[in-house]
Amino acid sequence: MAAVRPVVLATGGTGGHVFPAEALAGELEARGVPFTLVTDSRGRQWQGALSRRPIHYIHSASPTGSMAKKVLALFSLALGLFDAWRALGRIGPSAVVGFGGYASVPTMLAARLRRLPSALHEQNAVLGRANRLVLGGAARVATSFARTRYLDGDARARLVGNPVRETVRALRDQPYRAPGEGRVIDLLVFGGSQGAASFGEVIPEAVLALPQAMRARLRIVQQCRPESIDRVRTSYVKAGVVAELAPFFQDLPRRIASAHLVIGRSGASTVAELAAIGRPSILVPYPYAADDHQTANARAFEATGACIVMPHASFTADALLGHLMALIEAPERLTAMASAAHGAGRPDAAAKLADVVGEIISLPLSPSGVAA
């Protein structure tokens, strides 16, 4: 069995970048491949396989906001490049894999300067700005969608999917059962780490407008901003609807698996988890996402038949009411959407991403260890 030097994982600190990095870390660990993490200070919160290996912290910042903030961010990224150059020198990795976010940029640039094999993973249907900055040095670009804007025709692209957490993969075999006539309908609503303010306004209004017989069947679990919980709760009490409201749910994958219908944003992780578990959804893309990537994610998912897309500008109580009534009256449509979502899932994404890593270091990485 041939030895292999560590693989460096470089990523930002948000969940959308962290989850696939964590999934790859677990896959590498299972294959006996050493890895280490290079990140910024936000990496201190991570758990799972990522927390069981050495972590190297570097400076980073996002060059957005006022001119002064942009200048400071560029200075921080320059310091980060120096940090990353030294870290890679100490680690001596066999390859570097970047997951996007500006915190990954210094490490990917340092990898190019040191002529190390590198790959990128893109979670969205649009190649992110950070990944576009370092694209020139990548030997491979692993994608989550069949088509990714800014990568059309790029021979380096490899479709692997967006790896999800083990807690999500474990729910893939839990079958979907549409609500029977007169039975409870479980509706799950969530919208990013802070919840979506518009969801707390539009969804209760639409629910109030449902016929009483339909309202009586609803059981809602909804993520709400703290300042909105009392108002939203009052609306549901008025509608006679059983509702559980909270700013955050620790067990969100289980909640998704228990839902008959999900209403949410269309970030990369949300779409990947809906597909992995196989649940129908109404997706409302966040209108201010960079390069409008959430709309691209949602439209790609919609093309499979898995969801209904409601652009933010069209997300009104009347429009949502129409969709809810149509779906409640046709549970077979919910079943078809769930099946389409499940079919779009890529439970082997982490394994395929590990295979890409093996490809760039010219060494097959066997699930039972490193093979010569």
Side-chain angles (χ1 to χ4, degrees):
M1 181 180 291
V4 63
R5 300 193 308 278
V7 173
V8 163
L9 309 181
T11 182
T14 60
H17 302 302
V18 172
F19 293 154
E22 183 179 307
L24 177 60
E27 183 68 22
L28 292 174
E29 191 173 56
R31 298 185 185 200
V33 180
F35 65 88
T36 190
L37 186 66
V38 179
T39 185
D40 62 10
S41 59
R42 292 174 297 176
R44 301 180 191 280
Q45 64 183 310
W46 294 347
Q47 302 175 354
L50 290 175
S51 66
R52 295 195 290 271
R53 298 280 181 162
I55 299 177
H56 299 262
Y57 297 103
I58 65 171
H59 289 83
S60 81
S62 176
T64 57
S66 67
M67 182 56 67
K69 288 183 178 179
K70 289 179 180 178
V71 170
L72 287 173
L74 290 174
F75 179 71
S76 183
L77 288 169
L79 286 176
L81 177 58
F82 178 69
D83 295 337
W85 170 271
R86 291 197 306 171
L88 294 183
R90 291 193 299 268
I91 297 165
S94 59
V96 180
V97 184
F99 291 86
Y102 282 104
S104 71
V105 169
T107 305
M108 300 308 294
L109 291 177
R112 186 174 188 180
L113 291 172
R114 285 190 174 274
R115 301 182 182 277
L116 293 168
S118 67
L120 297 172
H121 181 267
E122 178 54 57
Q123 298 87 49
N124 294 293
V126 180
L127 191 67
R129 294 175 184 177
N131 276 347
R132 295 205 298 271
L133 283 174
V134 298
L135 179 61
R140 296 288 184 272
V141 185
T143 65
S144 301
F145 292 87
R147 294 194 61 184
T148 304
R149 195 187 309 163
Y150 301 118
L151 277 179
D152 287 343
D154 195 316
R156 296 171 296 173
R158 299 288 187 274
L159 176 60
V160 304
N162 192 7
V164 295
R165 296 167 287 175
E166 175 56 36
T167 53
V168 176
R169 293 198 302 273
L171 296 166
R172 182 162 174 80
D173 293 331
Q174 186 166 319
Y176 178 79
R177 294 184 176 86
E181 185 175 351
R183 305 297 290 269
V184 166
I185 302 165
D186 285 302
L187 176 65
L188 172 64
V189 179
F190 62 93
S193 60
Q194 297 295 316
S198 60
F199 287 8
E201 299 170 359
V202 172
I203 295 173
E205 185 178 345
V207 168
L208 274 168
L210 285 169
Q212 194 280 330
M214 286 186 180
R215 291 202 309 270
R217 297 172 59 192
L218 281 178
R219 185 165 58 192
I220 298 176
V221 173
Q222 182 166 345
Q223 180 191 27
C224 289
R225 296 190 176 200
E227 63 271 21
S228 303
I229 285 182
D230 288 342
R231 174 177 53 78
V232 174
R233 180 177 288 114
T234 298
S235 295
Y236 287 139
V237 169
K238 181 178 179 181
V241 172
V242 175
E244 180 183 353
L245 312 177
F248 183 76
F249 293 104
Q250 290 282 357
D251 56 346
L252 193 57
R254 183 182 65 80
R255 305 275 187 167
I256 292 174
S258 299
H260 291 116
L261 177 65
V262 175
I263 299 176
R265 293 298 196 191
S266 49
S269 292
T270 296
V271 172
E273 292 182 2
L274 287 169
I277 298 172
R279 294 299 179 264
S281 58
I282 296 174
L283 299 181
V284 187
Y286 179 60
Y288 307 111
D291 299 312
D292 199 21
H293 66 258
Q294 286 208 7
T295 294
N297 295 346
R299 291 301 183 191
F301 201 39
E302 181 184 48
T304 70
C307 69
I308 294 169
V309 179
M310 296 187 70
H312 188 82
S314 305
F315 184 58
T316 65
D318 285 344
L320 179 60
L321 172 65
H323 287 304
L324 289 175
M325 290 186 65
L327 292 172
I328 291 172
E329 290 172 347
E332 68 278 2
R333 187 178 172 196
L334 288 170
T335 299
M337 291 169 66
S339 178
H342 196 269
R346 297 184 181 273
D348 59 349
K352 286 186 176 296
L353 184 53
D355 291 342
V356 168
V357 174
E359 192 176 333
I360 66 172
I361 62 177
S362 301
L363 183 67
L365 301 183
S366 164
S368 62
V370 181

